[in-house]
Amino acid sequence: MLAVAIEEAQAGLAEGGIPIGAALFAADGTLLGRGHNRRVQDDDPSMHAETAAFRAAGRQRTYRGTTMVTTLSPCWYCSGLVRQFGITGLLIGEAATFSGGHEWLSRHGVSVTLVDDARCRQMMTDFIDRHPQLWFEDIGQDDSDASG
């Protein structure tokens, strides 16, 4: 499942965007939707990877039993999406470069699996090194906030 999210992250990077990918899977492993961060490409601050995957999945009668797979720990915005719609599982590629709301989700009944995948971590580390201003914009900080 993580491979799908990684493919999406790589697609976003190839488009000049931020390399974060996500996919939403049904309980039986069926892929419901996939997407990548498109904030830069679409000039839309709400188009995070998890949001794109969720939208691509379309309406579901229920999200119970589904798993959101993402290359990076979800921000508070995307963590709220997971909680709001009752997505049951969360599989995260890495949380070393950014730790969002996954611990909060775990405390609220979401089954969280943190893989600590070296490919995901390296992709983000390289991106942050090359594009720090874009990264800080994505996480809602300006680069003067980086040290504190």
Side-chain angles (χ1 to χ4, degrees):
M1 291 193 296
L2 185 57
V4 174
I6 290 171
E7 287 174 11
E8 286 293 329
Q10 292 167 335
L13 183 61
E15 295 170 358
I18 298 163
I20 304 169
L24 185 65
F25 289 89
D28 68 0
T30 302
L31 176 64
L32 299 173
R34 60 190 290 165
H36 53 271
N37 185 303
R38 297 193 51 84
R39 293 181 72 254
V40 174
Q41 300 91 313
D42 294 353
D43 196 29
D44 180 349
S46 70
M47 192 44 88
H48 292 204
E50 297 87 346
T51 305
F54 181 75
R55 288 177 179 172
R59 287 180 56 198
Q60 304 293 315
R61 190 182 68 72
T62 181
Y63 295 90
R64 302 275 178 228
T66 62
T67 298
M68 179 66 75
V69 179
T70 181
T71 57
L72 184 65
S73 177
C75 70
W76 288 106
Y77 170 67
C78 295
S79 294
L81 180 147
V82 169
R83 180 120 193 262
Q84 173 69 31
F85 291 95
I87 293 171
T88 309
L90 177 65
L91 189 144
I92 304 165
E94 68 101 355
T97 59
F98 179 80
S99 185
H102 69 270
E103 291 178 358
W104 173 77
L105 286 168
S106 180
R107 289 193 304 270
H108 287 90
V110 176
S111 174
V112 175
T113 302
L114 178 56
V115 178
D116 195 25
D117 184 88
R119 297 165 298 174
C120 294
R121 190 174 51 255
Q122 191 64 55
M123 191 169 20
M124 285 309 304
T125 300
D126 291 347
F127 179 82
I128 294 166
D129 287 346
R130 285 192 308 267
H131 306 285
Q133 287 182 308
L134 189 55
W135 171 244
F136 291 125
E137 175 190 324
D138 191 62
I139 61 172
Q141 292 183 351
D142 64 41
D143 52 359
S144 66
D145 292 339
S147 63

